[in-house]
Amino acid sequence: MRFWLASVTLVFMALFLTACSNPPKPEPVGDKPAEIIDGSAASGAATVEIPEASTQGLAPEPGFQGDPLNDPSSPLATRVIYFAYDSNSIEPQYFDVLAAHANYLASHPGMMARLEGHADERGSPEYNIALGERRAKAVEQSLSLQGANPGQFDLVSYGEERPAVEGHDESAWSANRRVEIIY
Amino acid sequence: MLDSLHSPKSPIRSGIVPAVGLFGLVCLFVVSATARAELTIEITGGAQGALPIAIVPFELRGGGNLPEDVAAIVSADLHRSGRFKVSPRDQLAETPQGGAEVDFSAWRAAGAENLVVGWVETMAQGQYAVQFRLFDVFKGEQLAGYSIPATARGMRRAAHQISDIVYKRLTGQDGAFTSRIAYITKHKVNGETRFALTVADADGWNPKDVVKSREPLMSPAWSPDGSQLAYVSFEGKKPAIYIQEVITGQRRRVPTFSGINGAPAWSPDGRQLALTLSKDGSPDIYVYDLASGDFRRVTDHYAIDTEPVWTADGQNLLFTSDRGGQPQIYQVSASGGRASRVTFEGSYNARARVSPDGRQIALVHQERGKFYIALQDLDNGRMILLSEGGLDESPSFAPNGSMVLYATASRGQGVLAAVSVDGRVHQRLAIQKGDVREPAWSPSL
């Protein structure tokens, strides 16, 4: 049950991340006359253009008005960076996310971000504290290189002490090797 | 043969079933949980050549109920050590209450080699004297005899003292039955995680939470005299090292720095704490002088250096470092300088603890994806695996060096386990709720 839940959570997160890295683009809306398919099309008849008709699309919704941090469709909405086993390298799927956080911090110099590093439960707890810190530092370095001020960060490593998902299998472990960006 | 003894207050049952184990005895011993016993101890492997001993139930002279079943506590202690084969209570040859009543020929016929008899006297209101005699059955000779003063509350401790005396007299080694264990527990209350640092008797009884927190607690370490515990607390959402008096609960905070403040380890003289700080970049080993408050940097490396522990002579520190690419144990002088590598077997060796005699280290060793507790001889470098492997971590030696206590996972729950240093006796201590981790066995108290 727990495994099932964790899997669903992971799948959901994966979908969510995909959605964030490829924000939905509005379809082009033009005033080109629509093609109308005549009911006789099925019988092989040609479609007929009706020149005196015109179509009108809805104007795009006005963009998100509040703080971009609260925009659920912004890459800033991704606040958790996951890592491979025994690794502190940032995977390419997070490049856009970290660039957005760096831009946001650079344009909001008064804003602080707490970076919480975590490890999975395997191995020694204090060594895992060190691994969690290494991951938090990797995220900090990426954000600083992209324009955020090093003074905007507060780093803490919880090692294996605060798992996001309880469990003793790979699905839990991969969900727990992470850095959380907290504003 | 399967012995099954139940809690001191329940009737003792036993039965004999055919031996199944390839390696002789497999004993199962269960102290059933009561309100006061938070940990359940199961022995899952027995030692061959365990010494047969009979322990006669103690009675309260003049009638009445004993506050504790002293004989059952002593039986449980001795059995748990793996060094003794305790006769089931319903198979005792007789139940004498004093040395003069013992019929040695009956005990010889029953195959007991050693015999403990005893009784409790009421001295004053709430004051008792626990009397016991240890006999060599074949010689018909008394080996030890003591009277131990105790209150009702202190009677379990008096029983553990008897266990220590019997153990020492018959094995030549100090017992560890009056020592304590500290450990971290983690459980959920209304979906929120609660952490506690708990101190219990070595048999898991009398657990008391000495620190409770909504934030993680880690790395408990006993001072060499057993009066203080150092530990890491994340209260305030930042790690800090605290030193707490075990008896009064008073504590002080070691000065903190940005980054990691962790892995406290007492020097053998109790005057210094080795610890891990990452204030200057990567985690390095520092020594904090408790009297002066000065910090001295011991290692300076861009890799991870953590989990320091002192060698028995107090001259050197062992620590975990991944400076070679993977975590291994290194040694460095406590005054700093060049570190030398200590472990070479496998790709993951971490968190060493030095045996009381200073000649071995217990550590966490990974092999084929499983984590084991291993023992390495510091002289010849030979390593043996002690535990069955899985998610085993945080080894801690008993003060007499006979057992290693460690944390593992069983059926998805964090539990404590212990193994004798010869690898033959395995025990599991299951907490009743939540996870239990990071055990630390106290020095002799």
Side-chain angles (χ1 to χ4, degrees):
Chain A
M1 178 63 178
R2 190 178 276 176
F3 175 79
W4 182 85
L5 266 180
S7 309
V8 169
T9 311
L10 275 180
V11 167
F12 180 77
M13 282 189 303
L15 289 172
F16 184 67
L17 289 173
T18 315
C20 290
S21 47
N22 302 303
K25 293 189 182 82
E27 288 297 315
V29 176
D31 53 5
K32 189 177 141 224
E35 291 183 339
I36 300 210
I37 298 172
D38 186 79
S40 60
S43 63
T47 54
V48 179
E49 282 195 12
I50 306 170
E52 58 270 35
S54 71
T55 58
Q56 178 66 54
L58 291 173
E61 292 284 340
F64 187 83
Q65 297 295 306
D67 188 316
L69 270 186
N70 301 325
D71 179 356
S73 68
S74 159
L76 292 173
T78 298
R79 305 277 171 84
V80 186
I81 312 296
Y82 295 95
F83 291 82
Y85 175 62
D86 199 24
S87 166
N88 60 325
S89 42
I90 289 160
E91 299 190 0
Q93 69 193 91
Y94 297 110
F95 290 173
D96 289 350
V97 170
L98 291 180
H101 283 284
N103 281 337
Y104 179 79
L105 285 162
S107 57
H108 296 77
M111 202 72 182
M112 288 287 292
R114 178 175 161 89
L115 304 177
E116 288 187 359
H118 299 267
D120 70 35
E121 64 174 344
R122 288 173 290 175
S124 193
E126 285 282 2
Y127 187 72
N128 284 338
I129 290 282
L131 289 181
E133 184 183 69
R134 206 179 246 176
R135 287 180 179 139
K137 285 195 164 157
V139 170
E140 178 192 38
Q141 190 183 21
S142 163
L143 296 173
S144 297
L145 286 173
Q146 297 181 78
N149 186 324
Q152 287 177 283
F153 300 108
D154 183 17
L155 265 69
V156 67
S157 173
Y158 283 107
E160 62 178 277
E161 309 302 317
R162 282 251 184 236
V165 174
E166 303 279 351
H168 306 283
D169 53 26
E170 185 51 48
S171 76
W173 295 332
S174 55
N176 291 333
R177 293 187 300 263
R178 68 201 196 277
V179 170
E180 296 189 8
I181 304 169
I182 299 166
Y183 287 99
Chain B
M1 166 117 184
L2 185 138
D3 293 333
S4 169
L5 290 173
H6 282 261
S7 83
K9 285 190 174 143
S10 66
I12 303 289
R13 289 184 306 198
S14 76
I16 297 176
V17 296
V20 228
L22 200 60
F23 301 101
L25 280 183
V26 175
C27 304
L28 247 182
F29 186 86
V30 178
V31 177
S32 68
T34 74
R36 288 183 300 171
E38 198 175 51
L39 293 169
T40 305
I41 295 169
E42 303 164 43
I43 292 192
T44 51
Q48 265 185 314
L51 207 53
I53 189 167
I55 297 155
V56 175
F58 289 28
E59 284 177 8
L60 187 62
R61 284 263 160 100
N65 287 328
L66 266 184
E68 298 285 350
D69 187 338
V70 175
I73 298 166
V74 175
S75 299
D77 283 347
L78 297 180
H79 184 88
R80 198 158 39 88
S81 74
R83 306 283 298 268
F84 293 89
K85 181 171 170 281
V86 183
S87 302
R89 190 173 275 193
D90 64 357
Q91 289 170 29
L92 297 177
E94 55 167 357
T95 54
Q97 289 297 302
E101 300 169 22
V102 175
D103 174 4
F104 290 107
S105 60
W107 291 101
R108 278 182 213 118
E113 288 180 21
N114 295 282
L115 172 68
V116 174
V117 300
W119 65 95
V120 177
E121 294 165 11
T122 306
M123 306 308 284
Q125 186 60 40
Q127 286 291 325
Y128 302 91
V130 183
Q131 297 272 357
F132 84 97
R133 309 284 181 260
L134 168 65
F135 293 104
D136 177 323
V137 168
F138 286 97
K139 291 182 185 155
E141 191 178 285
Q142 182 174 316
L143 299 176
Y146 288 88
S147 173
I148 302 168
T151 60
R153 252 186 82 221
M155 200 156 290
R156 286 196 69 87
R157 186 170 171 83
H160 293 315
Q161 286 176 291
I162 293 172
S163 304
D164 274 348
I165 293 165
V166 171
Y167 188 89
K168 170 95 186 184
R169 191 68 187 76
L170 297 180
T171 71
Q173 268 191 342
D174 288 329
F177 305 109
T178 49
S179 58
R180 288 182 169 141
I181 53 174
Y183 49 89
I184 305 292
T185 59
K186 188 176 158 185
H187 69 279
K188 296 241 168 164
V189 177
N190 300 328
E192 197 195 346
T193 306
R194 300 287 168 86
F195 300 85
L197 169 55
T198 307
V199 173
D201 294 347
D203 61 356
W205 284 66
N206 296 323
K208 289 191 179 70
D209 293 343
V210 299
V211 187
K212 289 186 196 178
S213 179
R214 286 161 194 255
E215 296 293 330
L217 297 166
M218 289 182 74
S219 307
W222 293 90
S223 65
D225 66 359
S227 70
Q228 299 174 92
L229 277 167
Y231 57 90
V232 176
S233 171
F234 281 76
E235 60 200 82
K237 301 201 183 284
K238 286 277 183 191
I241 296 169
Y242 290 83
I243 298 172
Q244 182 162 324
E245 299 280 339
V246 176
I247 301 300
T248 65
Q250 286 187 327
R251 67 176 194 170
R252 64 188 171 114
R253 197 175 75 174
V254 172
T256 57
F257 300 89
S258 70
I260 295 171
N261 296 262
W266 297 85
S267 62
D269 65 8
R271 293 180 178 173
Q272 296 179 307
L273 272 187
L275 42 84
T276 302
L277 301 173
S278 62
K279 65 189 177 78
D280 298 314
S282 62
D284 278 305
I285 309 299
Y286 292 73
V287 168
Y288 173 62
D289 187 285
L290 290 160
S292 70
D294 291 340
F295 285 86
R296 181 175 83 237
R297 187 172 187 163
V298 178
T299 68
D300 185 354
H301 198 283
Y302 56 81
I304 291 171
D305 291 345
T306 188
E307 301 176 333
V309 64
W310 300 75
T311 53
D313 60 8
Q315 298 298 303
N316 296 291
L317 290 162
L318 297 164
F319 62 99
T320 309
S321 176
D322 74 341
R323 56 185 62 193
Q326 288 159 325
Q328 296 289 348
I329 305 297
Y330 290 76
Q331 177 168 321
V332 67
S333 163
S335 52
R338 206 180 138 80
S340 56
R341 188 166 158 180
V342 172
T343 53
F344 293 92
E345 208 152 314
S347 59
Y348 188 110
N349 291 296
R351 201 197 178 271
R353 285 293 179 271
V354 180
S355 64
D357 68 7
R359 294 166 62 180
Q360 293 181 304
I361 50 172
L363 48 86
V364 179
H365 173 80
Q366 188 203 47
E367 210 164 90
R368 292 187 295 277
K370 278 183 160 184
F371 290 85
Y372 295 83
I373 303 304
L375 211 54
Q376 179 166 323
D377 188 297
L378 283 176
D379 293 329
N380 63 25
R382 283 234 305 271
M383 183 188 279
I384 56 162
L385 299 185
L386 278 186
S387 67
E388 288 150 16
L391 294 166
D392 303 345
E393 59 191 41
S394 306
S396 175
F397 279 98
N400 65 0
S402 65
M403 310 276 296
V404 175
L405 184 64
Y406 62 96
T408 186
S410 174
R411 294 186 289 272
Q413 193 188 33
V415 299
L416 301 187
V419 56
S420 59
V421 289
D422 61 9
R424 294 197 299 180
V425 182
H426 293 261
Q427 312 176 8
R428 189 145 286 184
L429 298 82
I431 198 174
Q432 299 306 301
K433 55 173 184 186
D435 290 307
V436 54
R437 313 172 58 220
E438 294 207 79
W441 208 320
S442 81
S444 294
L445 297 172

